[in-house]
């Protein structure tokens, strides 16, 4: 009690002198000295009671001490006052340190101490060492707590002051440690570190390290930490190389075996990272090599302890060795083997409206935009078409405007232009017989003969062409982007059914050509009306009628007989698909259905010893390249050239098939290596080099017209021996990390296993590792390198034909085959199912649009139902998105109670494959225009991005013409770096834009579906969901549909390529059966949203608060947990993830 009274008396005395501090120096000096001695007392009880009294916020002792410190001019008194603050923030004041630091930061103590240091350092009389020590110690502690410390130093211009103090006192062991803590914080800021480098910090730090010596100590660790941060600047690396700092670093590194414990690991880490930064500059690499650095680094790789704690160092050292050695590039041409010629767009320097508004192309200009030599687009087509590929932050921000309110206004299309999409909402038109006759008289012109229109489509309309294309404002033929519903002409037959079928086909073709120009009426109803009366009197024709109704919009399916086998249908469809790369066969797994085995496969457990061995092998091969076998066993570039020569005299149609079942069991005796093939749909393999007896390096194709985006792979191997381990190294991967490091396995399909009754893709492979190799990526960032996906496989049978893929393939032909199968199985009395061709892609392939709902009923009219838009596969490498969409469509066409409920409530408009050109040609990210189509939704170009343009047009038609914004939009994706299934949504509270944040929304609207998915789906992870609207994502489908059309339930559903780390499937991969289950779960969750008014009214305030908790400010400020990404992978690159 007496101690508390004495503390109060001392603080009150200091407070009484505050008004005139310099007139009462003796009293202040005495009280401050006594209070300081009590704060630093050896008696623990006295010290703790005094510190508790000082830092107590409501008593104002700390503000009092700061005020006196600022105003008193006596250095002895200042030393006592600073000592009081020092004791408050001292590490031994465990209980009081954190609140004291927080209070000092809030009181702007940082600026005050910096100002005081600058004043005292500028005087002619030198500052006392004790006062300097106290002030530097306080500022060292504040620098670790104050997040704005570097900014405050920059604004006060005190960086050189601190450097001057270090330059004068680098030999002072007592002062050096807190100074290094300060420089540790300053070196992390780009601006202050640049100022320090220009002021000569490199030479000063060299003196500091020399004075410290090479013995392990906290000061040496801090010094290396400072250098590790400073060398992120190329200027610092250059100065270090010029001032012979590199040999000093290497001497420290050479003595690593003399260090012990955690200190050894930290000193090694900072030294290696500093050397890594130096190796990124030419002069740094030269300095490392001239100082015998490569031998020291190689010696470390050989002698590195076989301990998990060193696994993060080994890939960094290997990276330095590879960087410093002579440049090694992939043995392929820099461009792809085939370039696709994009449409040539002409522009004019006028104020005409943007070409994305549907008002026509610009025609008068001397400039043309064409693909450049490397396959990229040489110039932007329009100022409004500048969304960046792969969402570069800088470009996206410029696209979004500047300032908190700058969002570019949406580009609305002409109302007349939007009317073309009426043809895709035929289910909404229900006419009487009289209306039908009137419509037929007005809209269906009478052709002279069926042959005039039925054989050649819209290109052979002859004298009637101007009539059919009356609304073709866009300068291109209408059938290049509207639904092509003409059916292939069939030879006349004496059979009565053929006569009626031919007559209806004639009328349908005539009508659809009119729809392309008028686009205001329903061809479905006209077709159905003219066919139904005949079918009612001829039951044999009824099934043919219904199939025609379902598939009338897709010409690729029009001539496949109803009773064909699935194998025949798939081959017939694949033979009609237009490809950029030549194809010679259909892949066996896709032809037979493409499903997985349906088993649960556990995640792979990475063997760190195997990965270390592979990394060391990579280093050995970089140092001794002559040890490689180096035999090319597959070269797509050469095969394409041979194919071009062979086809010079052959202009016939292609007929694709598969004979793998006949190939198995036969061996090529002249070749003693594996045989590879990828010239089939979605295949991706460019070159294979045999480097060992059973080891191969594989090089993947880039996306078409691109030199990057390597991740997806799909190829065939044969000529193997059973029970022999083969190693495959895919050496041109680009992502800095991969799920292959966290349990993911590739998949394998065996034809022999399928023949023996065990069909399906299986997870296979061992010794899986993902690491940086020695091949330089000439098209990446400066001095960037490719990464290797390495795995080994043992095949179960001799001379089998096996397929290996990144994930379960789902090619375009498989989708069209599934649509054909669904069309044959649907009961039209229960389900309204229609397929249309939304548009043609750049390579003239059809884009299927599916419409699913219940048939029109008097009590539940189709036109009164809500519309739901679903899309998938905008990124072609995300094949899991197609399997989830497959599950959704399959469930919607089933008789499950929830499926019936959602069909009765909603009309589903589904575009199951947005980027079919990328899928067909084995691309990973982009299509034929080398653009990420999910960054083109805000301003799609109708000629370069036709599928996105017309998919958005459908939604705009629904919102503006029908005055019915979609109830929901969901874009299905796959995720390569996270596990589980989760949703991205949009909310005002999570938006980057201040205007959005000022408008409140109802969290229940966008959060109910994720909560329901958590209930229905075993693979769904609610905690991974995110509802932030980021500036760089403004051009994505999710954000564009939310912002431009007011769709509050606008989602992206992500499913992992790998598997799950929570829930029922924790520790297991996801198979196709599980992916389809997720699609079905999505429909079940939607069924619970059926009566929105009812369930929203029943939600209690407590439930609403719980739902809103998912988008609380705390959760919006933090990204969802990404343990895989944040984990410092043992054998992945040390660079930032992308």
């Amino acid at each position: 009690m007496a101690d508390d009274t004495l503390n109060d008396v001392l603080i009150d005395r200091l407070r009484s002198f505050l008004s005139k501090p310099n007139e009462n120096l003796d009293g202040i000096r005495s009280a401050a000295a006594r209070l300081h001695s009590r704060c630093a007392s050896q008696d623990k009880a006295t010290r703790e009671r005094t510190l508790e009294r000082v830092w107590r916020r409501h008593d104002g002792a700390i503000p009092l001490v700061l005020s006196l410190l600022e105003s008193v001019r006596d250095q002895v008194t200042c030393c006592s006052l600073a000592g009081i603050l020092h004791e408050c923030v001292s590490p031994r004041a465990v209980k009081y340190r954190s609140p004291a630091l927080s209070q000092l930061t809030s009181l702007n103590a940082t600026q005050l101490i910096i100002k005081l240091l600058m004043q005292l350092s500028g005087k002619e009389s030198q500052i006392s060492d004790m006062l300097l020590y106290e002030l530097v110690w306080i500022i060292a502690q504040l620098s670790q707590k104050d997040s704005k410390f570097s900014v405050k130093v920059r604004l006060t211009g005190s960086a050189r002051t601190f450097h001057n103090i270090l330059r004068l006192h680098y030999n002072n062991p007592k002062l050096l440690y807190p100074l290094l803590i300060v420089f540790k914080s300053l070196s992390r800021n780009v601006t202050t570190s640049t100022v320090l480098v220009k002021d000569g910090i490199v030479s000063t730090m060299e003196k500091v390290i020399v004075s410290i010596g090479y013995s392990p100590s906290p000061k040496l660790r801090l010094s290396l930490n400072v250098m590790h941060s400073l060398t992120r600047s190329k200027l610092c690396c250059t100065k270090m190389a010029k001032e012979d700092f590199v040999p000093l670093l290497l001497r420290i590194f050479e003595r690593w075996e003399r260090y012990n414990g955690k200190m050894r690991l930290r000193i090694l880490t900072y030294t290696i990272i500093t050397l890594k930064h130096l190796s990124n500059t030419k002069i740094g690499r030269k300095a490392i090599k001239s100082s015998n650095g490569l031998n020291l680094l190689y010696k470390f790789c050989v002698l590195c302890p076989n301990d998990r704690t060193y696994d993060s160092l080994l890939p960094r050292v290997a990276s330095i060795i590879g960087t410093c050695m002579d440049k090694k590039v992939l043995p392929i041409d820099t461009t792809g083997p085939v370039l696709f010629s994009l449409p040539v767009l002409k522009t004019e320097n006028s104020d005409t409206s943007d070409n994305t508004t549907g008002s026509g192309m610009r025609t008068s200009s001397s400039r043309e935009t064409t693909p450049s030599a490397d396959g990229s687009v040489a110039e932007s087509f329009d100022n409004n078409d500048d969304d960046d590929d792969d969402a570069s932050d800088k470009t996206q921000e410029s696209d979004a405007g500047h300032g908190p309110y700058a969002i570019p206004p949406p580009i609305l299309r002409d109302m007349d232009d939007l009317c073309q999409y009426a043809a895709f909402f035929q289910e909404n038109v229900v006419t009487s017989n009289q209306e039908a006759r009137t419509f037929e008289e007005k809209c269906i012109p009478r052709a002279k003969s069926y042959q005039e229109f039925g054989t050649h489509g819209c290109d052979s309309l002859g004298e009637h062409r101007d009539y059919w294309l009356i609304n073709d404002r866009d300068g291109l033929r209408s059938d290049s982007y509207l639904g092509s519903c003409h059916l292939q002409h069939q030879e006349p037959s004496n059979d009565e059914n053929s006569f009626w079928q031919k007559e209806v086909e004639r009328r349908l073709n005539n009508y659809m050509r009119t729809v392309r120009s008028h686009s205001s009426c329903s061809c479905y109803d006209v077709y159905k009306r003219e066919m139904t009366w005949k079918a009612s009197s001829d039951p044999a024709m009824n099934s043919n009628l219904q199939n025609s109704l379902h598939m009338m919009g897709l010409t690729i399916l029009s001539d496949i007989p109803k009773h064909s086998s699935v194998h025949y249908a798939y081959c017939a469809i694949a033979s009609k698909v237009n490809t950029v790369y030549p194809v010679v066969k259909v892949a066996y797994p896709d032809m037979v259905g493409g499903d997985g085995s349906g088993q649960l496969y556990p995640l792979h457990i990475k063997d760190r010893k195997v990965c270390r061995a592979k990394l060391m092998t990579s280093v050995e091969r970089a140092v001794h390249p002559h040890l490689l076998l180096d035999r090319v066993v597959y070269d797509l570039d050469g095969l394409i050239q041979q194919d071009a020569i062979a086809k010079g005299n052959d202009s016939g149609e292609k007929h694709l098939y598969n004979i793998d079942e006949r190939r198995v069991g036969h061996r090529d005796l002249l070749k003693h290596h594996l045989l590879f093939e990828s010239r089939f749909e979605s295949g991706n393999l460019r070159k294979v080099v045999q480097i060992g007896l059973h080891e191969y390096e594989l090089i993947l194709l880039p996306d078409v017209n691109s030199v990057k985006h390597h991740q997806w792979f799909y190829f065939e191997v044969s000529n193997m021996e059973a029970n022999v381990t083969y190693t495959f190294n895919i050496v041109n991967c680009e992502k800095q990390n991969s799920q292959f490091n966290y349990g993911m396995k590739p998949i394998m399909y065996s034809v022999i296993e399928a023949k023996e009754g065990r069909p399906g893709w299986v997870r296979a492979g061992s010794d899986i590792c993902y690491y940086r190799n020695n091949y330089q990526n000439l098209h990446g960032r400066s001095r960037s390198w490719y990464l290797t996906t390495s795995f080994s496989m043992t095949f179960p049978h001799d001379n089998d034909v096996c397929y290996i893929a990144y994930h379960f393939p789902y090619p375009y032909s498989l989708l069209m085959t599934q649509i054909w199968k669904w069309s044959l199985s649907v009961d039209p009395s229960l389900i309204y199912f229609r397929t249309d061709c939304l548009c043609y892609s750049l390579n003239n392939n059809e884009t299927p649009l599916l419409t699913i709902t219940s048939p029109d009923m008097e009590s539940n009219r189709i036109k009164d139902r809500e519309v739901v838009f679903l899309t998938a596969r905008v990124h072609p490498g995300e094949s899991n998105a197609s399997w989830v969409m497959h599950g959704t469509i399959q469930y919607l066409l089933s008789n499950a109670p929830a499926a019936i409920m959602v069909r009765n409530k909603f009309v589903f408009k589904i575009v199951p494959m947005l980027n079919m050109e990328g899928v067909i040609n084995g691309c990973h990210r982009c299509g034929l225009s080398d653009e990420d189509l999910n960054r083109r939704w805000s301003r799609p170009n109708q000629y370069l991005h036709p599928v996105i343009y017309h998919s958005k047009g459908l939604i705009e038609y629904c919102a503006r013409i029908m005055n019915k914004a979609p109830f929901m939009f969901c874009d299905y994706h796959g995720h390569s770096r996270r596990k589980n299934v989760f949703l991205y949504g949009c909310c005002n509270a999570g938006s980057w834009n201040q205007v959005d944040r000022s408008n409140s929304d109802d969290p229940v609207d966008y959060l109910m579906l994720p909560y329901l998915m958590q209930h229905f789906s075993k693979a769904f992870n609610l905690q991974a969901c995110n509802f932030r609207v980021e500036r760089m994502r403004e051009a994505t489908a999710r954000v564009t549909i939310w912002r431009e059309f007011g769709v509050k339930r606008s989602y992206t559903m992500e499913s992992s390529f790998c598997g799950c780390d929570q829930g029922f499937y924790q520790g297991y991969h996801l198979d196709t059966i599980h992916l389809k289950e997720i699609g079905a779960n999505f429909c079940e969750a939607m069924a619970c949203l059926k009566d929105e008014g009812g369930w929203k009214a029943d939600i209690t305030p407590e439930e609403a608060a719980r739902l809103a908790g998912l988008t609380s400010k705390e959760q919006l400020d933090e990204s969802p947990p990404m343990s895989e990404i944040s984990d410092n992978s043992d054998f992945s690159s040390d660079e930032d993830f992308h």
Side-chain angles (χ1 to χ4, degrees), residues 54 134 454 1113:
V54 170
E134 298 289 0
K1113 185 178 186 300

Side-chain angles (χ1 to χ4, degrees), residues 249-285:
L249 275 177
L250 291 173
R251 281 196 293 271
I252 295 172
F253 179 75
E254 188 179 11
R255 289 165 170 78
W256 67 271
E257 291 181 279
R258 305 178 188 180
Y259 308 147
N260 295 311
K262 293 183 178 179
M263 187 64 68
R264 173 202 277 185
L265 187 63
R266 291 180 178 178
I267 290 176
L268 272 176
T269 300
Y270 294 135
T271 306
I272 290 171
I273 294 177
T274 303
L275 291 171
K276 176 69 174 67
H277 292 161
L278 283 165
S279 69
N280 291 329
T281 63
K282 184 176 181 180
I283 189 172
R285 292 190 293 273

Side-chain angles (χ1 to χ4, degrees), residues 36 360 388:
H36 178 212
D388 187 32

Side-chain angles (χ1 to χ4, degrees), residues 1095-1114:
W1095 60 256
K1096 289 187 71 173
D1098 293 339
I1099 290 180
T1100 64
E1102 292 76 14
E1103 291 173 331
R1106 181 170 58 85
L1107 286 170
L1110 190 61
T1111 53
S1112 63
K1113 185 178 186 300
E1114 290 76 11

Side-chain angles (χ1 to χ4, degrees), residues 79-104:
C79 190
S80 296
L81 293 170
I84 295 171
L85 297 178
H86 178 184
E87 292 300 329
C88 288
V89 299
S90 174
R92 70 174 181 170
V94 179
K95 182 178 179 181
Y96 315 105
R97 182 172 182 269
S98 181
L101 283 171
S102 299
Q103 192 175 167
L104 286 170

Side-chain angles (χ1 to χ4, degrees), residues 815-871:
L815 170 65
M816 304 305 279
T817 304
Q818 290 294 343
I819 292 174
W820 175 76
K821 290 169 61 178
W822 286 325
S823 300
L824 296 176
S825 62
V826 166
D827 183 352
S829 65
L830 300 176
I831 303 173
Y832 181 97
F833 177 61
R834 191 182 76 252
T835 64
D836 295 299
C837 174
L838 175 63
C839 63
Y840 279 87
S841 65
L842 287 175
N843 203 20
N844 207 32
N845 289 301
E846 294 176 298
T847 303
L849 169 67
L850 310 184
T851 302
I852 302 175
T853 187
S854 292
D856 194 67
M857 296 174 281
E858 196 67 34
S859 59
N860 181 15
R861 309 308 294 265
I862 292 180
K863 64 181 181 180
D864 297 328
R865 299 172 193 168
E866 300 278 7
V867 181
V868 173
F869 280 88
L870 304 178
T871 60

Side-chain angles (χ1 to χ4, degrees), residues 143-147 149-151 180-194 196-197 221-222 224-233 270:
S143 69
Q144 301 175 84
K145 180 69 175 180
D146 192 349
S147 60
F149 175 74
S150 297
V151 176
L180 289 174
I181 293 176
V182 173
F183 278 91
K184 174 184 172 183
S185 299
L186 294 178
S187 63
R188 293 177 177 176
N189 182 273
V190 176
T191 305
T192 54
S193 64
T194 303
L196 291 171
V197 170
R221 173 180 58 82
L222 270 175
L224 294 173
N225 192 349
V226 171
M227 295 310 301
H228 136 258
S229 298
L230 288 173
T231 49
R232 289 181 297 179
S233 163
Y270 294 135

